[in-house]
Amino acid sequence: MATGTTRTILHDRYEILSEIGRGGMGAVYLAEDQRLPGRRCAVKANQLPVGMVAADADALKAGFKREATLLAQLDYPALPGVSDHFEVDEVSYLVMDYVPGDDLSTLVNEARAKDRYLDEARVLGWAEALCGALHYLHYRRPQIVHRDVKPSNIKLTPDGQIRLVDFGLAIPIVEDSGATLTIRAGGGSRAYQPPEQFGDGDAIDVRADIYSLGATLYHLLCGVPPIDARTRFLDPTALIRPGSLRENLSPHIEHAILVAMALHPNDRPAGISDFRRLLVVGDSSIADVDLATRVRVAGGFEDSGWLNAFRRNRWLVLLVVLLMIAALALSSWP
């Protein structure tokens, strides 16, 4: 790294202009590419945890490099391009397109400060773009799970386009085994993080992003972030239904959000396309979503075993009802 009285240049190429964000493992900087004057980019610094043993540090750095190589292959309008990766003084750097504009966390906070909600149709337009971006990631080979979908990682550009940024937690999934290629686990912001991300990371698949997108839409439409999954696990009634926070919210949108935020992955839509259809048309046939699931997701009537038993034996119940009707008819026959 070259430095001067007023300039910091990384990798003999990227002049740091300002810090634009900071997280648990590093920071993101706005920089200018000295080889391409006028081109601004975002440089993310991934700092190794203090005291990490050498073997783990080497594995983590190798993971950063693998992810950078994979992310550099991405080409989708709602995703920033990755153009470079390098290491300086034990810090790994990822160079991405700089995305101008406000993040959605800023927009929802501004709306609530004025005692307003973001327009539902506008939010659904953003959701459409996000579903497209996640579909692109999820259907690649290997699949990529973003793992950190949240309002502050979604930018609205000055020309009204949505960009999903910050791939610091993204993991590629090996198709044949489902194992992750990195040693990192957890991560993300608690309000948008599914239960499986609190564990060792082995069970994470694309449904983790569906949970996070559902939680993100909850925040954008209701003005407040949802209760985190750990609290909900301990108290199934803790999550307030979106319709209770925003009375004019479309019922099928509330339904889609609650199903996406199911605590167990099997109760969520199987893929992002299924979730998109729930948002657009409220297709209740997707993933066999039923009343029992909606009750279990929202909390309030945790013991829904009788309803599940009824569903499993509904044809037998129907047959019994028909036989009873036939018996009553025969008994009243003159």
Side-chain angles (χ1 to χ4, degrees), residues 69-220:
T69 301
L70 185 64
L71 295 174
Q73 302 171 20
L74 303 181
D75 183 15
Y76 190 82
L79 302 173
V82 174
S83 57
D84 200 359
H85 173 266
F86 55 91
E87 184 178 315
V88 177
D89 297 331
E90 298 298 314
V91 179
S92 294
Y93 293 90
L94 194 65
V95 181
M96 311 176 74
D97 293 340
Y98 170 65
V99 180
D102 291 325
D103 62 58
L104 298 191
S105 179
T106 298
L107 296 183
V108 70
N109 289 339
E110 289 176 349
R112 295 309 296 146
K114 298 175 182 177
D115 200 26
R116 297 177 182 172
Y117 292 108
L118 293 173
D119 180 71
E120 182 180 296
R122 190 184 189 199
V123 173
L124 291 183
W126 298 340
E128 177 74 14
L130 292 168
C131 285
L134 291 176
H135 185 277
Y136 174 81
L137 295 174
H138 293 173
Y139 284 87
R140 290 182 60 82
R141 293 294 179 268
Q143 294 175 316
I144 296 178
V145 181
H146 188 279
R147 292 206 307 170
D148 203 15
V149 178
K150 58 184 179 182
S152 60
N153 277 344
I154 304 167
K155 286 285 198 77
L156 182 66
T157 66
D159 61 354
Q161 301 301 308
I162 283 292
R163 297 287 186 273
L164 177 60
V165 300
D166 197 342
F167 283 82
L169 296 174
I171 55 172
I173 303 296
V174 178
E175 184 177 3
D176 57 351
S177 69
T180 65
L181 293 179
T182 72
I183 66 170
R184 285 177 289 170
S189 297
R190 292 185 56 159
Y192 317 97
Q193 186 178 351
E196 61 267 29
Q197 252 177 259
F198 288 100
D200 58 13
D202 288 342
I204 293 174
D205 60 23
V206 298
R207 293 171 296 181
D209 283 347
I210 292 174
Y211 182 103
S212 297
L213 181 54
T216 292
L217 296 180
Y218 183 111
H219 189 177
L220 295 177

Side-chain angles (χ1 to χ4, degrees), residues 189-304:
S189 297
R190 292 185 56 159
Y192 317 97
Q193 186 178 351
E196 61 267 29
Q197 252 177 259
F198 288 100
D200 58 13
D202 288 342
I204 293 174
D205 60 23
V206 298
R207 293 171 296 181
D209 283 347
I210 292 174
Y211 182 103
S212 297
L213 181 54
T216 292
L217 296 180
Y218 183 111
H219 189 177
L220 295 177
L221 289 167
C222 300
V224 293
I227 295 295
D228 67 89
R230 277 183 171 176
T231 302
R232 293 177 57 205
F233 182 81
L234 296 173
D235 179 7
T237 68
L239 181 67
I240 301 174
R241 298 183 72 101
S244 298
L245 294 170
R246 181 172 178 170
E247 293 182 357
N248 63 344
L249 185 66
S250 297
H252 77 280
I253 300 300
E254 178 190 52
H255 169 65
I257 290 172
L258 290 175
V259 174
M261 292 183 64
L263 292 177
H264 197 288
N266 289 344
D267 290 331
R268 301 173 205 154
I272 197 67
S273 296
D274 292 337
F275 178 55
R276 177 185 174 276
R277 285 196 292 273
L278 281 176
L279 286 173
V280 174
V281 298
D283 186 352
S284 60
S285 67
I286 292 173
D288 195 26
V289 176
D290 57 20
L291 177 60
T293 295
R294 293 200 295 274
V295 167
R296 184 167 62 254
V297 170
F301 299 98
E302 182 65 10
D303 184 12
S304 56

Side-chain angles (χ1 to χ4, degrees), residues 300-315:
F301 299 98
E302 182 65 10
D303 184 12
S304 56
W306 67 271
L307 189 53
N308 287 327
F310 173 80
R311 282 182 53 80
R312 288 193 300 268
N313 300 282
R314 59 187 180 275
W315 297 115

